[in-house]
Amino acid sequence: MGRLLLLRTSKGLLTIFVSITITFFILRFMPADPISILIDPKMGPEVQAQMIRRFGLDKSVPEQYFIFLKGLVTGDLGLSFKNQQPVIEIIMQKLPWTLLLLFVVVVLSLLVGIPIGVLAARKQGKFADKLINFMVTLGISVFLPFLAFGFLYIFAYYFKLFPTGGAYTPPPKQGLAYYLDVAKHAVLPSLTLFCSHVASVVLYTRNSMIDVFNEDYIRTAYSKGLNEPMVIRYHALKNAMIPTITVTGLMIGTMVGGAVMTETIFAWPGVGRLIYDSVSAMDYPVLQGAFLILAVSVVVMNIITDLVIAWLDPRIKLGG
Amino acid sequence: MSRLIEFKNYSMGFRDEDGRVHNLLDNICFSIEEGTAVGIVGESGCGKSMTSLSIMGLLPPSVVIQGGEILYKGTDLLKKSKTEMQEIRGKEIAMIFQEPMTALNPVHTIGFQIGEALKIHFPDTSKEDIQKAVIKQLELVGIPNPEARAMQYPHQFSGGMRQRAMIAMALICQPKLLIADEATTALDVTIQAQVLDLMKRLKESGSLMVVTHNLGVVAELCDEVVVMYAGRVVERGSLEAILDHPLHPYTKGLMAAIPTMTSGDEELYTIPGSVPNIENFEKGCRFSPRCEYCLDKCKDDVPPTKQVDDRHYVQCWLTFDGEGADYDNNNS
Ligand SMILES: Nc1ncnc2c1ncn2[C@@H]1O[C@H](COP(=O)(O)OP(=O)(O)O)[C@@H](O)[C@H]1O
Ligand SMILES: [Mg+2]
């Protein structure tokens, strides 16, 4: 178990390294010139030169790359071009908001998606299954911004049930009122992301449940005198959860990098919105930081997913 | 002796995608007495597994029951509710399945899977007692080191060991009837012999229905034999009657296909042709296309079931010695 974990971790570190390297060079070779954004023409030439030196933009690209790597090892991700704040601080401000959204969406998707997927599998081919399949196809294929604007129009603009954007009404309130206010702001972005994620949870649960129902060991379970709920609970669910857990792991991994479109539309102050703003502002250091977080979370979630699956399925040995 | 199971003109078929029903089992009649072993033989695709699953009430969803009764201790299993069947399954009637590799759940320990039937049929049993019973069963089926083995998962068991575990699982509640569907087919010869020995001992406590396409297994274990072809019982009788005086051309063909001590290296006899698919069954005798004695009427009319001896029946148009009046299918 330890050996495999070590192997996975080193492979993960390599993945992260490759991905941030690619990010770094893609950003450098973009046709836009960050200096023009950094530098205010009203600044004196000395100030300008000082700024360029401060951000290391006077050095060659390979040199910049090594400086970036050296910073990374010490936990220094550089300064934002835009407001000259340390990147790490900016990301740490945004990350909790994204994690909040993520947590709500994942928990709800699993809580709602698994029972619906099981139901669809049990009613395979019947009306309930067909209806669920239709909804799932809709949920998977819908263009998220379209859904987001739809919700905005209906719930925020027409019925005025929820705010149109942000994470809270400034200035922040105190105590319980603050949490309620945040919850109210979180409803529409969560709902948007929930719709697409619950659809994949339902789809994967249904399909693997149908596969499992056809397994011989399910018939064996019935032959012992178990009733349907017992067969589902003890013999089908655990086996059928493996694909669902894999997609959920993947989903969590990529969502830490922010649901860029959803967060942007709802002005949710998370990592996704940060990526959007930084692209518009050509704020390379912040983008690098955000992609680093994304790579780390994908890798970490992969390892966690493998551990959970190994725990569920004794055939998968982590001993190597 | 009293009858434990009695099939009375039982018929079933499958509904296809267009909603048409194709008959498979047609007027099945045979019975299993208490304390005896009955062998169901026939080539693959003759409906042996469907016969077993009919008793268990575990038929696939596309199955349509077309008539008849399956009596268990005198009451019709086909009329029982879901919950009544759940009470019977695993407790009164247990089944061992064809595929030892896939019939066990990979994510639960062998011990859990063996103890499960006890847990649901006797909910008052304590955890310790279940554990003890599981260990005892594993010992009984000859699994060494049962305490440690009970904690292991199916993938840690060999094929033969899994089949033993399956037997232990089926026997934990001491059922009145054990159905073994090709329980030894997947095993190699020495392990097959050990498992057969194990099943032989079972007859002391209950009845046995041995489903197999291997007549050797039947000779080893059974008192009575039911020969099935394409969903019909073509011949049935005592082991001696079937082995020594087979009458139906299909039974004769099956017997000729058994390797014997004298058959040596020369090619074994095989019945020409193969079992038809349910959509292509002949209107009359379903075996007629492969039968070397086929008469004109065989093609068009279902042959009558004739009693040729005490408890020896054959469904065929040919004339046999000692043949009595047509045995009435509706009055067994
Ligand atoms: N789900 C199904 N739908 C249609 N036909 C089936 C189905 N399952 C089995 N059959 C048919 O039933 C016949 C007998 O099957 P089975 O009882 O498994 O035979 P055996 O156990 O003697 O090999 C086969 O010819 C097969 O084509
Ligand atoms: Mg079979």
Side-chain angles (χ1 to χ4, degrees):
Chain A
M1 173 122 181
R3 228 187 80 197
L4 192 100
L5 212 56
L6 199 73
L7 194 79
R8 293 294 317 240
T9 312
S10 38
K11 237 172 85 184
L13 285 175
L14 188 70
T15 312
I16 294 170
F17 172 73
V18 170
S19 97
I20 54 174
T21 302
I22 292 175
T23 316
F24 181 91
F25 285 104
I26 286 181
L27 289 177
R28 295 309 125 154
F29 293 127
M30 290 227 285
D33 178 16
I35 297 180
S36 63
I37 289 168
L38 195 59
I39 306 289
D40 191 330
K42 278 177 282 181
M43 292 175 180
E46 268 142 70
V47 185
Q48 285 190 12
Q50 198 197 335
M51 283 285 272
I52 289 175
R53 242 178 293 124
R54 184 156 173 226
F55 284 96
L57 292 172
D58 54 336
K59 305 218 169 59
S60 70
V61 172
E63 268 178 298
Q64 288 184 36
Y65 176 61
F66 284 110
I67 293 170
F68 166 66
L69 283 188
K70 234 170 76 189
L72 209 60
V73 178
T74 56
D76 175 14
L77 297 178
L79 297 178
S80 157
F81 284 173
K82 203 166 90 184
N83 52 20
Q84 307 187 14
Q85 238 186 316
V87 169
I88 193 93
E89 259 175 41
I90 300 177
I91 288 177
M92 284 308 154
Q93 273 166 19
K94 306 289 182 185
L95 194 58
W97 291 109
T98 290
L99 290 179
L100 171 69
L101 210 57
L102 175 78
F103 179 78
V104 172
V105 169
V106 167
V107 169
L108 283 182
S109 300
L110 291 178
L111 239 45
V112 174
I114 291 172
I116 293 182
V118 171
L119 179 78
R122 279 183 50 206
K123 305 275 176 198
Q124 193 195 347
K126 304 230 176 80
F127 177 73
D129 180 36
K130 285 187 178 138
L131 184 72
I132 291 168
N133 267 328
F134 175 72
M135 305 286 284
V136 162
T137 317
L138 219 61
I140 284 177
S141 52
V142 74
F143 187 48
L144 268 188
F146 176 77
L147 196 66
F149 283 123
F151 285 152
L152 264 181
Y153 180 78
I154 299 169
F155 297 113
Y157 174 76
Y158 195 82
F159 287 115
K160 305 221 181 332
L161 286 174
F162 298 106
T164 50
Y168 50 82
T169 323
K173 300 186 178 63
Q174 291 300 308
L176 189 65
Y178 172 69
Y179 292 112
L180 284 177
D181 188 40
V182 169
K184 223 171 145 181
H185 281 79
V187 168
L188 290 185
S190 308
L191 190 64
T192 307
L193 290 169
F194 169 81
C195 283
S196 77
H197 287 151
V198 78
S200 37
V201 170
V202 170
L203 184 75
Y204 279 89
T205 305
R206 172 191 179 271
N207 290 353
S208 56
M209 215 52 190
I210 286 174
D211 288 345
V212 169
F213 280 157
N214 287 323
E215 293 281 352
D216 289 331
Y217 55 77
I218 295 299
R219 195 177 55 187
T220 308
Y222 278 114
S223 82
K224 290 188 245 187
L226 272 72
N227 58 26
E228 193 181 349
M230 289 198 270
V231 171
I232 290 176
R233 188 152 156 225
Y234 295 114
H235 289 273
L237 260 184
K238 207 173 159 191
N239 305 272
M241 274 310 88
I242 289 167
T244 310
I245 285 166
T246 312
V247 280
T248 306
L250 220 63
M251 181 167 107
I252 297 175
T254 48
M255 236 186 98
V256 171
V260 178
M261 289 195 279
T262 310
E263 286 191 4
T264 306
I265 291 166
F266 291 102
W268 186 260
V271 180
R273 175 81 193 286
L274 180 68
I275 291 178
Y276 178 80
D277 290 346
S278 309
V279 169
S280 333
M282 275 189 277
D283 198 343
Y284 294 179
V286 173
L287 275 179
Q288 268 158 208
F291 284 121
L292 172 68
I293 293 291
L294 175 63
V296 170
S297 72
V298 167
V299 165
V300 168
M301 278 319 298
N302 254 326
I303 295 175
I304 292 178
T305 306
D306 282 358
L307 288 176
V308 173
I309 288 173
W311 171 70
L312 281 178
D313 188 344
R315 283 169 300 181
I316 298 171
K317 244 170 78 191
L318 285 178
Chain B
M1 275 204 299
S2 67
R3 281 189 182 159
L4 196 64
I5 287 282
E6 186 171 1
F7 276 78
K8 277 180 138 178
N9 300 96
Y10 172 68
S11 300
M12 61 75 104
F14 296 95
R15 192 184 294 283
D16 66 15
E17 278 120 51
D18 306 329
R20 276 180 306 158
V21 178
H22 301 274
N23 171 264
L24 174 69
L25 300 183
D26 181 32
N27 275 294
I28 299 293
C29 291
F30 73 89
S31 53
I32 302 174
E33 310 287 333
E34 257 172 45
T36 65
V38 171
I40 312 283
V41 293
E43 291 160 289
S44 234
C46 282
K48 307 182 300 291
S49 295
M50 290 304 144
T51 308
S52 324
L53 292 173
S54 297
I55 302 178
M56 297 297 287
L58 291 177
L59 290 164
S62 61
V63 164
V64 180
I65 290 170
Q66 297 170 301
E69 296 173 305
I70 303 174
L71 303 180
Y72 171 72
K73 290 181 169 168
T75 59
D76 190 358
L77 289 176
L78 301 175
K79 293 208 177 69
K80 292 207 187 288
S81 69
K82 241 184 181 174
T83 18
E84 283 173 321
M85 280 313 286
Q86 279 155 10
E87 277 297 305
I88 290 174
R89 273 184 223 131
K91 189 180 175 195
E92 307 262 320
I93 305 175
M95 182 160 174
I96 312 172
F97 293 95
Q98 203 159 346
E99 311 82 4
M101 292 308 189
T102 53
L104 290 164
N105 192 329
V107 307
H108 291 299
T109 61
I110 295 283
F112 172 86
Q113 297 187 62
I114 293 177
E116 213 176 5
L118 203 58
K119 196 157 63 190
I120 56 170
H121 291 299
F122 302 95
D124 298 335
T125 323
S126 70
K127 265 206 165 100
E128 293 75 46
D129 286 345
I130 291 178
Q131 179 66 10
K132 264 187 228 149
V134 168
I135 306 278
K136 202 181 125 212
Q137 272 313 314
L138 283 172
E139 248 165 26
L140 232 60
V141 297
I143 291 185
N145 203 359
E147 284 89 354
R149 287 300 219 161
M151 313 278 281
Q152 290 184 335
Y153 291 91
H155 71 275
Q156 294 163 299
F157 275 50
S158 67
M161 285 295 167
R162 277 187 232 197
Q163 199 56 285
R164 283 160 196 256
M166 286 285 293
I167 296 177
M169 199 161 88
L171 293 182
I172 188 123
C173 296
Q174 285 155 346
K176 300 277 182 304
L177 173 68
L178 177 71
I179 305 171
D181 187 353
E182 309 273 10
T184 59
T185 308
L187 306 177
D188 68 50
V189 182
T190 41
I191 294 167
Q192 188 170 336
Q194 292 166 7
V195 173
L196 284 180
D197 263 352
L198 200 66
M199 301 204 330
K200 225 186 260 176
R201 274 186 272 148
L202 278 175
K203 273 204 289 184
E204 290 149 29
S205 54
S207 305
L208 202 55
M209 178 168 141
V210 185
V211 174
T212 178
H213 58 250
N214 183 342
L215 276 170
V217 171
V218 171
E220 187 84 13
L221 278 178
C222 300
D223 309 299
E224 306 241 346
V225 184
V226 174
V227 183
M228 286 190 71
Y229 184 79
R232 288 191 183 139
V233 174
V234 294
E235 187 168 3
R236 66 190 154 105
S238 65
L239 182 69
E240 294 73 37
I242 300 294
L243 289 190
D244 301 338
H245 315 287
L247 296 175
H248 197 285
Y250 181 60
T251 317
K252 284 184 181 162
L254 282 183
M255 304 295 295
I258 312 177
T260 59
M261 299 296 272
T262 52
S263 58
D265 280 346
E266 69 212 70
E267 194 116 328
L268 262 178
Y269 173 78
T270 47
I271 310 170
S274 57
V275 185
N277 198 288
I278 47 170
E279 278 125 57
N280 307 323
F281 283 162
E282 206 69 28
K283 204 159 82 219
C285 172
R286 290 175 179 176
F287 185 60
S288 58
R290 300 173 71 186
C291 181
E292 46 186 313
Y293 307 101
C294 179
L295 312 168
D296 279 344
K297 60 179 164 187
C298 293
K299 294 238 175 271
D300 302 320
D301 300 311
V302 180
T305 299
K306 304 165 183 173
Q307 183 166 19
V308 285
D309 200 354
D310 181 40
R311 300 183 66 78
H312 188 174
Y313 300 88
V314 58
Q315 186 186 40
C316 188
W317 280 116
L318 300 176
T319 318
F320 305 104
D321 281 351
E323 177 182 308
D326 283 2
Y327 161 75
D328 185 353
N329 255 344
N330 298 313
N331 223 338
S332 54

